[in-house]
């Protein structure tokens, strides 16, 4: 079974600085998808960025980028120029791409990010 | 609708009571998922619908939990004889299909408190 581990329960960053959130996962599959979701106090999970395992190039979305190390099964999220609105829980998630899969996500326990003004 | 809608936003119920949680997915999305998020944890998969049928209910914790999606759109998660351990945020997500590349969109969840 696949597992996702986020080893940092809490992180803090100064506004305008850069922060990196860690995520590792365990799988025997070669093709899968990885996601970072943001969950503000409103509770709604918002997709931040997505990475397809067969793509070597790291995904980027504006101030958000990932460092995907497939061999190490590592998928960290870098937030540049941090803003107060980035404060939230961040969840790393795995999704298999196997044909028989139902497509459900497997989540880590999350990292609470605080942004200091 | 524009997004996934879940009602009620919050629900407080007494131990032993029956509750229903509703999810209205994005129009046209055939895949629908229910997750449960306990305090301090990430969401955990409960059940998946493709159209009207429950294609995978392997995440339901026991037979007190049941979900339906009779017309392939709105889904209702039903919990019988609620227990304090059922207290959690119940999240619903939908996607166009279960095809691997499709992104799931989440609702704001229902916070269930069993007292």
């Amino acid at each position: 079974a696949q597992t996702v581990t986020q080893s940092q329960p809490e992180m803090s960053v100064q506004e305008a600085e850069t922060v990196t959130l860690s995520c590792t996962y365990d799988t025997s599959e070669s093709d899968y998808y990885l996601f970072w979701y943001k969950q503000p106090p409103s509770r709604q999970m918002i997709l931040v960025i997505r990475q397809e395992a067969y793509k070597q190039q790291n995904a980027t979305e504006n101030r958000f980028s990932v460092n995907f190390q497939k061999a190490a099964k590592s998928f960290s999220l870098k937030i540049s120029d941090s803003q107060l609105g980035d404060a939230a829980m961040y969840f790393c998630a795995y999704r298999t791409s196997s044909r028989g899969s139902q497509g459900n996500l497997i989540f880590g326990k999350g990292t609470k990010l605080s942004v200091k003004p | 609708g524009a997004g996934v809608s879940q009602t009620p936003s919050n629900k407080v119920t007494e131990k032993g009571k029956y509750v229903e949680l509703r999810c209205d997915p994005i129009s046209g999305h055939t895949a629908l998922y229910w997750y449960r998020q306990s305090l301090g944890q990430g969401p955990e998969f409960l059940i998946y619908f493709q159209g009207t049928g429950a294609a995978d209910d392997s995440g339901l914790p026991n037979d007190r939990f049941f979900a339906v999606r009779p017309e392939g759109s709105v889904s209702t998660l039903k919990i019988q004889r609620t227990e304090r351990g059922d207290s959690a945020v119940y999240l619903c997500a939908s996607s166009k299909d279960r095809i691997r590349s499709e992104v799931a969109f989440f609702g704001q969840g229902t916070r269930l408190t069993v007292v």
Side-chain angles (χ1 to χ4, degrees):
Chain A
Q2 297 87 7
T3 58
V4 176
T5 301
Q6 293 179 251
S7 59
Q8 305 156 316
E10 296 187 24
M11 290 286 284
S12 181
V13 63
Q14 203 72 32
E15 193 175 8
E17 297 295 309
T18 296
V19 64
T20 298
L21 308 184
S22 301
C23 173
T24 58
Y25 57 93
D26 189 22
T27 184
S28 59
E29 299 177 331
S30 59
D31 195 15
Y32 45 86
Y33 292 82
L34 295 166
F35 304 83
W36 278 97
Y37 276 90
K38 170 185 178 181
Q39 187 179 43
S42 67
R43 299 197 305 251
Q44 185 169 20
M45 302 284 277
I46 302 166
L47 179 67
V48 174
I49 200 165
R50 173 178 63 174
Q51 175 78 41
E52 298 166 352
Y54 66 87
K55 290 186 176 179
Q56 293 185 339
Q57 187 173 6
N58 288 325
T60 63
E61 287 288 343
N62 301 314
R63 298 183 294 108
F64 299 87
S65 62
V66 299
N67 183 3
F68 174 47
Q69 301 290 328
K70 191 172 183 179
K73 296 179 183 175
S74 172
F75 182 61
S76 61
L77 174 69
K78 185 172 81 171
I79 306 174
S80 303
D81 186 25
S82 297
Q83 300 176 0
L84 295 178
D86 294 334
M89 285 292 293
Y90 285 81
F91 290 94
C92 178
Y94 173 101
R95 183 184 195 184
T96 183
S97 66
S98 64
R99 286 188 176 275
S101 166
Q102 311 299 3
N104 57 288
L105 294 160
I106 299 169
F107 288 90
K109 290 189 175 182
T111 296
K112 182 178 182 180
L113 178 66
S114 302
V115 181
K116 298 179 180 178
Chain B
V4 179
S5 176
Q6 290 189 246
T7 54
S9 180
N10 293 282
K11 175 72 176 178
V12 180
T13 190
E14 291 181 349
K15 180 176 177 294
K17 297 290 188 182
Y18 167 84
V19 296
E20 290 189 351
L21 312 180
R22 176 188 168 108
C23 172
D24 198 342
I26 294 173
S27 178
H29 281 194
T30 58
L32 185 147
Y33 305 84
W34 283 99
Y35 293 85
R36 180 167 70 173
Q37 186 176 18
S38 300
L39 190 63
Q41 303 292 319
E44 294 180 321
F45 169 73
L46 293 177
I47 187 169
Y48 158 70
F49 287 90
Q50 182 60 36
T52 60
D56 182 356
D57 64 358
S58 62
L60 294 178
N62 52 60
D63 61 5
R64 295 186 298 105
F65 288 75
F66 188 71
V68 296
R69 194 186 186 196
E71 298 179 356
S73 178
V74 172
S75 176
T76 304
L77 178 65
K78 308 179 180 190
I79 310 174
Q80 299 177 323
R81 304 182 304 280
T82 51
E83 300 177 356
R84 293 197 177 87
D86 299 334
S87 296
V89 173
Y90 290 82
L91 295 166
C92 177
S94 71
S95 63
K96 286 184 183 177
D97 204 327
R98 67 178 176 89
I99 295 173
R100 57 194 182 183
S101 62
E102 291 295 338
V103 173
F105 294 88
F106 284 80
Q108 290 187 314
T110 294
R111 181 182 298 282
L112 175 66
T113 303
V114 182
V115 297

Coordinates of all heavy atoms in Angstrom, one line a residue, chain A residues 31 33 35 37 39 41-47 50 52 54 89 91 95-110, chain B residues 4 9-10 33 35 37 40-45 48 55-56 89 91 95 97-111:
Chain A
D31 N 4.4 4.7 -12.2 CA 3.6 5.8 -12.8 C 2.5 6.3 -11.8 O 1.7 5.4 -11.4 CB 3.0 5.5 -14.1 CG 2.5 6.7 -14.9 OD1 2.9 7.8 -14.5 OD2 1.7 6.5 -15.8
Y33 N 0.7 10.1 -9.7 CA 0.5 11.6 -9.6 C 0.8 12.0 -8.2 O 0.3 11.3 -7.3 CB -0.8 12.0 -10.1 CG -1.1 11.8 -11.6 CD1 -1.4 10.6 -12.1 CD2 -0.8 12.8 -12.5 CE1 -1.6 10.3 -13.4 CE2 -1.0 12.6 -13.9 CZ -1.4 11.4 -14.3 OH -1.5 11.1 -15.6
F35 N 0.4 15.5 -5.6 CA -0.2 16.8 -5.5 C 0.2 17.5 -4.2 O 0.5 16.9 -3.2 CB -1.8 16.6 -5.4 CG -2.3 15.9 -6.6 CD1 -2.3 14.5 -6.6 CD2 -2.9 16.6 -7.7 CE1 -2.9 13.8 -7.7 CE2 -3.5 15.9 -8.7 CZ -3.4 14.5 -8.8
Y37 N -1.9 20.2 -1.8 CA -3.2 20.9 -1.5 C -3.0 21.8 -0.4 O -2.3 21.5 0.6 CB -4.3 19.9 -1.2 CG -5.0 19.3 -2.4 CD1 -4.6 18.1 -3.0 CD2 -6.1 19.9 -3.0 CE1 -5.2 17.5 -4.1 CE2 -6.8 19.3 -4.1 CZ -6.3 18.2 -4.6 OH -6.9 17.6 -5.7
Q39 N -5.1 23.9 2.6 CA -6.4 24.0 3.3 C -6.3 25.1 4.3 O -5.8 25.0 5.4 CB -6.6 22.6 4.1 CG -8.0 22.5 4.7 CD -8.3 21.2 5.4 OE1 -7.4 20.7 6.1 NE2 -9.5 20.7 5.2
P41 N -8.3 27.9 6.9 CA -9.4 27.7 7.9 C -10.8 27.5 7.4 O -11.6 26.9 8.1 CB -9.3 29.0 8.8 CG -7.9 29.5 8.6 CD -7.5 29.1 7.2
S42 N -11.0 27.9 6.2 CA -12.3 27.6 5.6 C -12.6 26.1 5.3 O -13.7 25.7 5.0 CB -12.5 28.4 4.3 OG -11.6 27.9 3.3
R43 N -11.5 25.3 5.4 CA -11.6 23.9 5.3 C -11.5 23.4 3.9 O -11.3 22.2 3.6 CB -12.8 23.2 6.0 CG -12.9 23.5 7.5 CD -13.9 22.5 8.1 NE -15.2 22.5 7.4 CZ -16.3 23.0 8.0 NH1 -16.2 23.6 9.2 NH2 -17.4 23.0 7.4
Q44 N -11.8 24.2 2.9 CA -11.8 23.7 1.5 C -10.4 23.4 1.0 O -9.5 24.3 1.1 CB -12.4 24.8 0.6 CG -12.5 24.3 -0.8 CD -13.4 25.2 -1.7 OE1 -13.6 26.3 -1.3 NE2 -13.9 24.7 -2.8
M45 N -10.2 22.2 0.5 CA -8.9 21.8 0.0 C -8.7 22.5 -1.4 O -9.5 22.2 -2.3 CB -8.8 20.3 -0.2 CG -9.0 19.6 1.1 SD -7.6 19.7 2.2 CE -6.6 18.3 1.5
I46 N -7.6 23.2 -1.6 CA -7.4 23.9 -2.8 C -6.1 23.4 -3.5 O -5.1 23.3 -2.8 CB -7.2 25.4 -2.6 CG1 -8.5 26.0 -1.9 CG2 -6.9 26.2 -3.9 CD1 -8.3 27.4 -1.3
L47 N -6.2 23.0 -4.7 CA -5.0 22.4 -5.4 C -4.0 23.5 -5.6 O -4.3 24.6 -6.1 CB -5.4 21.9 -6.7 CG -4.3 21.3 -7.6 CD1 -3.7 20.1 -6.9 CD2 -4.7 21.0 -9.0
R50 N 0.5 20.2 -9.2 CA 0.4 18.8 -9.5 C 1.7 18.3 -10.3 O 2.2 19.1 -11.1 CB -0.8 18.5 -10.4 CG -0.9 17.1 -10.9 CD -2.2 17.0 -11.7 NE -2.3 17.8 -12.9 CZ -3.3 17.8 -13.8 NH1 -4.2 16.9 -13.6 NH2 -3.3 18.6 -14.8
E52 N 3.3 14.9 -12.5 CA 3.1 13.6 -13.1 C 4.4 12.9 -13.0 O 5.5 13.4 -13.4 CB 2.6 13.7 -14.5 CG 1.3 14.4 -14.6 CD 0.9 14.9 -16.0 OE1 1.7 14.8 -16.9 OE2 -0.2 15.3 -16.2
Y54 N 5.9 10.6 -14.5 CA 6.7 10.2 -15.7 C 7.3 11.5 -16.3 O 8.1 11.3 -17.3 CB 5.8 9.5 -16.8 CG 4.7 10.4 -17.3 CD1 4.9 11.2 -18.4 CD2 3.4 10.4 -16.8 CE1 3.9 12.0 -19.0 CE2 2.4 11.2 -17.3 CZ 2.6 12.0 -18.4 OH 1.6 12.7 -18.9
M89 N -2.8 25.0 6.2 CA -2.3 23.6 6.3 C -2.0 23.2 4.8 O -2.8 23.5 3.9 CB -3.4 22.7 6.9 CG -3.5 22.8 8.4 SD -2.1 22.2 9.3 CE -2.1 20.5 8.9
F91 N -1.1 19.9 2.5 CA -1.1 18.5 2.4 C -0.5 18.0 1.1 O -0.8 18.4 0.0 CB -2.6 17.9 2.5 CG -3.2 18.1 3.8 CD1 -4.0 19.2 4.1 CD2 -3.0 17.2 4.8 CE1 -4.6 19.4 5.3 CE2 -3.6 17.3 6.1 CZ -4.4 18.5 6.3
R95 N -1.6 9.8 -5.9 CA -2.7 9.2 -6.6 C -2.1 8.2 -7.6 O -1.3 8.6 -8.5 CB -3.5 10.2 -7.3 CG -4.8 9.7 -8.0 CD -5.5 10.8 -8.8 NE -6.8 10.5 -9.2 CZ -7.6 11.3 -9.9 NH1 -7.1 12.4 -10.3 NH2 -8.8 10.9 -10.2
T96 N -2.5 6.9 -7.5 CA -2.0 6.0 -8.5 C -2.6 6.2 -9.9 O -3.6 6.9 -10.0 CB -2.4 4.5 -8.0 OG1 -1.8 3.6 -8.9 CG2 -3.9 4.4 -8.0
S97 N -1.9 5.7 -10.8 CA -2.4 5.9 -12.2 C -2.7 4.5 -12.8 O -3.0 4.4 -14.0 CB -1.4 6.6 -13.1 OG -0.2 5.8 -13.2
S98 N -2.7 3.5 -12.0 CA -3.0 2.2 -12.5 C -4.5 2.1 -13.1 O -5.4 2.8 -12.5 CB -2.8 1.1 -11.5 OG -3.7 1.3 -10.4
R99 N -4.7 1.3 -14.1 CA -6.0 1.2 -14.8 C -7.1 0.8 -13.8 O -8.2 1.3 -14.0 CB -5.9 0.3 -15.9 CG -5.1 0.8 -17.1 CD -5.2 -0.1 -18.3 NE -4.6 0.5 -19.5 CZ -5.1 1.3 -20.3 NH1 -6.3 1.7 -20.1 NH2 -4.4 1.8 -21.3
G100 N -6.9 0.0 -12.9 CA -7.9 -0.5 -12.0 C -8.2 0.5 -10.9 O -9.1 0.2 -10.1
S101 N -7.5 1.5 -10.8 CA -7.6 2.4 -9.7 C -8.9 3.2 -9.7 O -9.4 3.6 -10.8 CB -6.4 3.4 -9.6 OG -6.7 4.5 -8.8
Q102 N -9.4 3.6 -8.5 CA -10.6 4.4 -8.4 C -10.2 5.9 -8.4 O -11.1 6.7 -8.5 CB -11.4 4.0 -7.2 CG -11.6 2.6 -7.0 CD -12.4 1.9 -8.1 OE1 -12.7 2.6 -9.1 NE2 -12.7 0.7 -8.0
G103 N -8.9 6.1 -8.3 CA -8.5 7.5 -8.4 C -8.5 8.3 -7.1 O -8.4 9.5 -7.1
N104 N -8.7 7.6 -6.0 CA -8.8 8.3 -4.7 C -7.3 8.8 -4.3 O -6.3 8.2 -4.7 CB -9.4 7.5 -3.6 CG -8.7 6.2 -3.4 OD1 -8.8 5.3 -4.2 ND2 -7.9 6.1 -2.3
L105 N -7.3 9.8 -3.5 CA -6.0 10.4 -3.1 C -5.6 9.8 -1.7 O -6.5 9.5 -0.9 CB -6.2 11.9 -2.9 CG -6.4 12.7 -4.2 CD1 -7.0 14.1 -3.9 CD2 -5.1 12.8 -5.0
I106 N -4.3 9.7 -1.5 CA -3.7 9.3 -0.3 C -3.0 10.5 0.3 O -2.0 10.9 -0.4 CB -2.8 8.1 -0.4 CG1 -3.6 6.9 -1.0 CG2 -2.2 7.7 0.9 CD1 -2.8 5.7 -1.4
F107 N -3.4 10.9 1.4 CA -2.8 12.2 2.0 C -1.8 11.9 3.1 O -1.9 10.9 3.8 CB -3.9 13.1 2.6 CG -4.8 13.7 1.6 CD1 -6.0 13.0 1.1 CD2 -4.5 15.0 1.1 CE1 -6.8 13.6 0.2 CE2 -5.4 15.6 0.1 CZ -6.5 14.9 -0.3
G108 N -0.9 12.9 3.2 CA 0.0 12.9 4.4 C -0.8 13.6 5.6 O -2.0 14.0 5.4
K109 N -0.1 13.8 6.7 CA -0.8 14.4 7.9 C -0.8 15.9 7.8 O -1.5 16.5 8.7 CB -0.1 13.9 9.1 CG -0.4 12.4 9.5 CD 0.1 12.1 10.9 CE -0.3 10.6 11.2 NZ 0.2 10.3 12.6
G110 N -0.1 16.5 6.9 CA -0.1 17.9 6.8 C 1.0 18.7 7.5 O 1.6 18.2 8.4
Chain B
V4 N -18.0 22.5 -5.6 CA -18.6 21.4 -4.9 C -19.3 22.1 -3.6 O -18.6 22.8 -2.9 CB -17.6 20.4 -4.5 CG1 -18.2 19.3 -3.6 CG2 -16.9 19.8 -5.7
S9 N -22.9 23.0 6.8 CA -21.5 23.3 7.1 C -21.0 22.7 8.4 O -19.9 22.3 8.5 CB -21.3 24.8 7.1 OG -20.0 25.2 7.3
N10 N -21.9 22.8 9.4 CA -21.6 22.2 10.7 C -22.8 21.5 11.2 O -24.0 21.9 10.9 CB -21.3 23.3 11.7 CG -20.0 24.0 11.4 OD1 -18.9 23.5 11.6 ND2 -20.1 25.2 10.8
Y33 N -16.1 11.5 -4.5 CA -15.4 10.9 -3.4 C -15.9 11.5 -2.1 O -16.1 12.7 -2.0 CB -13.9 11.1 -3.6 CG -13.3 10.6 -4.9 CD1 -13.3 11.4 -6.0 CD2 -12.7 9.4 -5.0 CE1 -12.8 11.0 -7.2 CE2 -12.1 9.0 -6.2 CZ -12.2 9.8 -7.3 OH -11.7 9.4 -8.5
Y35 N -14.3 11.8 1.9 CA -13.2 11.6 2.7 C -13.6 12.0 4.1 O -14.5 12.9 4.3 CB -12.0 12.5 2.3 CG -11.4 12.1 1.0 CD1 -11.9 12.6 -0.2 CD2 -10.2 11.3 0.9 CE1 -11.3 12.2 -1.5 CE2 -9.6 11.0 -0.3 CZ -10.2 11.4 -1.5 OH -9.6 11.1 -2.7
Q37 N -11.8 13.6 7.6 CA -10.6 14.2 8.2 C -10.7 14.4 9.7 O -11.5 15.3 10.1 CB -10.3 15.6 7.5 CG -9.0 16.2 7.9 CD -8.7 17.5 7.1 OE1 -9.6 18.1 6.5 NE2 -7.5 17.9 7.1
G40 N -6.2 17.0 13.2 CA -4.8 16.9 13.1 C -4.3 15.8 12.1 O -3.1 15.5 12.1
Q41 N -5.2 15.4 11.3 CA -4.9 14.3 10.3 C -5.2 14.8 8.9 O -5.9 15.8 8.7 CB -5.7 13.0 10.6 CG -5.5 12.5 12.0 CD -4.1 12.0 12.2 OE1 -3.5 11.3 11.3 NE2 -3.5 12.2 13.4
G42 N -4.6 14.1 7.9 CA -5.0 14.3 6.6 C -6.3 13.6 6.3 O -6.7 12.7 7.0
P43 N -7.0 14.0 5.2 CA -8.2 13.3 4.8 C -8.0 11.8 4.5 O -6.9 11.5 3.9 CB -8.7 14.0 3.6 CG -8.0 15.4 3.6 CD -6.7 15.1 4.3
E44 N -8.9 11.0 4.9 CA -8.8 9.5 4.6 C -10.0 9.1 3.7 O -11.2 9.5 4.0 CB -8.8 8.7 5.9 CG -7.6 8.9 6.7 CD -7.6 8.1 8.0 OE1 -8.7 8.0 8.6 OE2 -6.5 7.6 8.4
F45 N -9.8 8.4 2.7 CA -10.8 7.9 1.8 C -11.9 7.1 2.4 O -11.6 6.2 3.2 CB -10.1 7.1 0.6 CG -11.0 6.4 -0.3 CD1 -11.8 7.1 -1.2 CD2 -11.2 5.0 -0.2 CE1 -12.6 6.4 -2.1 CE2 -12.0 4.4 -1.1 CZ -12.7 5.1 -2.0
Y48 N -16.1 5.9 -3.1 CA -16.1 6.5 -4.4 C -17.2 6.0 -5.2 O -17.6 4.9 -5.2 CB -14.8 6.0 -5.0 CG -14.7 6.1 -6.5 CD1 -14.7 7.3 -7.2 CD2 -14.7 4.9 -7.3 CE1 -14.7 7.4 -8.6 CE2 -14.7 5.0 -8.7 CZ -14.7 6.2 -9.3 OH -14.7 6.3 -10.7
A55 N -18.6 2.4 -6.6 CA -17.5 1.6 -7.2 C -16.5 1.1 -6.2 O -15.9 0.0 -6.4 CB -16.8 2.4 -8.3
D56 N -16.4 1.8 -5.1 CA -15.4 1.3 -4.1 C -15.8 1.9 -2.7 O -15.7 3.1 -2.5 CB -14.0 1.8 -4.4 CG -12.9 1.4 -3.5 OD1 -13.2 0.7 -2.4 OD2 -11.7 1.7 -3.7
V89 N -14.3 16.2 10.2 CA -14.8 16.9 9.0 C -14.9 15.9 7.9 O -14.0 15.2 7.6 CB -13.8 18.0 8.6 CG1 -14.2 18.7 7.3 CG2 -13.7 19.1 9.7
L91 N -15.3 15.5 4.0 CA -15.1 16.2 2.8 C -15.6 15.4 1.6 O -15.5 14.2 1.5 CB -13.6 16.5 2.6 CG -12.9 17.4 3.6 CD1 -11.4 17.2 3.5 CD2 -13.3 18.8 3.4
S95 N -14.6 14.9 -9.6 CA -13.8 15.1 -10.8 C -14.5 14.7 -12.0 O -15.5 13.9 -12.0 CB -12.4 14.4 -10.7 OG -12.6 13.0 -10.6
D97 N -13.8 12.6 -14.3 CA -13.8 11.1 -14.4 C -12.7 10.6 -13.5 O -12.0 11.4 -12.9 CB -13.6 10.7 -15.9 CG -14.1 9.4 -16.2 OD1 -14.1 8.5 -15.3 OD2 -14.5 9.1 -17.3
R98 N -12.6 9.3 -13.3 CA -11.6 8.8 -12.5 C -10.3 8.6 -13.3 O -9.3 8.2 -12.8 CB -12.0 7.4 -12.0 CG -12.1 6.3 -13.0 CD -12.4 5.0 -12.4 NE -12.7 3.9 -13.3 CZ -11.7 3.1 -13.7 NH1 -10.5 3.3 -13.4 NH2 -12.0 2.2 -14.6
I99 N -10.3 9.1 -14.6 CA -9.1 9.1 -15.3 C -8.0 9.8 -14.6 O -8.2 10.8 -14.0 CB -9.3 9.8 -16.7 CG1 -10.3 9.0 -17.5 CG2 -8.0 9.9 -17.5 CD1 -10.8 9.7 -18.8
R100 N -6.9 9.2 -14.6 CA -5.8 9.5 -13.7 C -5.3 10.9 -13.7 O -4.9 11.5 -12.7 CB -4.6 8.6 -14.0 CG -4.1 8.7 -15.5 CD -3.2 7.6 -15.9 NE -2.7 7.8 -17.2 CZ -1.9 6.9 -17.8 NH1 -1.5 5.9 -17.2 NH2 -1.5 7.1 -19.1
S101 N -5.5 11.6 -14.9 CA -5.0 13.0 -15.0 C -6.0 14.0 -14.4 O -5.7 15.2 -14.2 CB -4.7 13.3 -16.4 OG -5.9 13.2 -17.2
E102 N -7.2 13.6 -14.1 CA -8.2 14.5 -13.7 C -8.0 15.0 -12.2 O -7.7 14.2 -11.4 CB -9.6 13.9 -13.8 CG -10.1 13.7 -15.2 CD -10.2 15.0 -16.0 OE1 -10.4 16.1 -15.4 OE2 -10.1 15.0 -17.2
V103 N -8.1 16.3 -12.0 CA -8.0 16.8 -10.7 C -9.3 16.8 -9.9 O -10.3 17.0 -10.5 CB -7.5 18.3 -10.8 CG1 -7.4 18.9 -9.4 CG2 -6.1 18.3 -11.4
A104 N -9.2 16.4 -8.7 CA -10.4 16.4 -7.8 C -10.6 17.8 -7.2 O -9.6 18.4 -6.7 CB -10.2 15.4 -6.7
F105 N -11.8 18.3 -7.2 CA -12.2 19.6 -6.6 C -13.0 19.3 -5.3 O -13.9 18.5 -5.3 CB -13.0 20.4 -7.5 CG -12.2 20.9 -8.7 CD1 -12.1 20.1 -9.9 CD2 -11.5 22.1 -8.7 CE1 -11.4 20.5 -11.0 CE2 -10.8 22.5 -9.8 CZ -10.7 21.7 -11.0
F106 N -12.6 19.9 -4.2 CA -13.2 19.7 -2.9 C -14.2 20.7 -2.5 O -14.1 21.9 -2.9 CB -12.1 19.6 -1.9 CG -11.3 18.4 -1.9 CD1 -10.3 18.2 -2.8 CD2 -11.5 17.4 -1.0 CE1 -9.5 17.0 -2.8 CE2 -10.8 16.2 -0.9 CZ -9.8 16.0 -1.9
G107 N -15.2 20.3 -1.7 CA -16.1 21.2 -1.0 C -15.5 21.6 0.3 O -14.3 21.3 0.6
Q108 N -16.2 22.5 1.0 CA -15.7 23.0 2.2 C -15.9 22.1 3.4 O -15.6 22.4 4.5 CB -16.4 24.4 2.5 CG -15.9 25.4 1.5 CD -16.4 26.8 1.9 OE1 -17.6 27.0 2.2 NE2 -15.5 27.8 1.9
G109 N -16.6 21.0 3.2 CA -16.7 20.0 4.2 C -17.9 20.2 5.2 O -18.4 21.4 5.3
T110 N -18.2 19.2 5.9 CA -19.2 19.3 7.0 C -18.5 18.9 8.2 O -17.9 17.8 8.3 CB -20.4 18.4 6.8 OG1 -21.1 18.8 5.6 CG2 -21.3 18.3 8.0
R111 N -18.5 19.8 9.2 CA -17.9 19.4 10.5 C -18.9 18.8 11.4 O -19.9 19.4 11.7 CB -17.3 20.7 11.2 CG -16.6 20.3 12.6 CD -16.1 21.5 13.3 NE -15.1 22.2 12.6 CZ -13.8 21.8 12.5 NH1 -13.4 20.8 13.1 NH2 -13.0 22.6 11.8

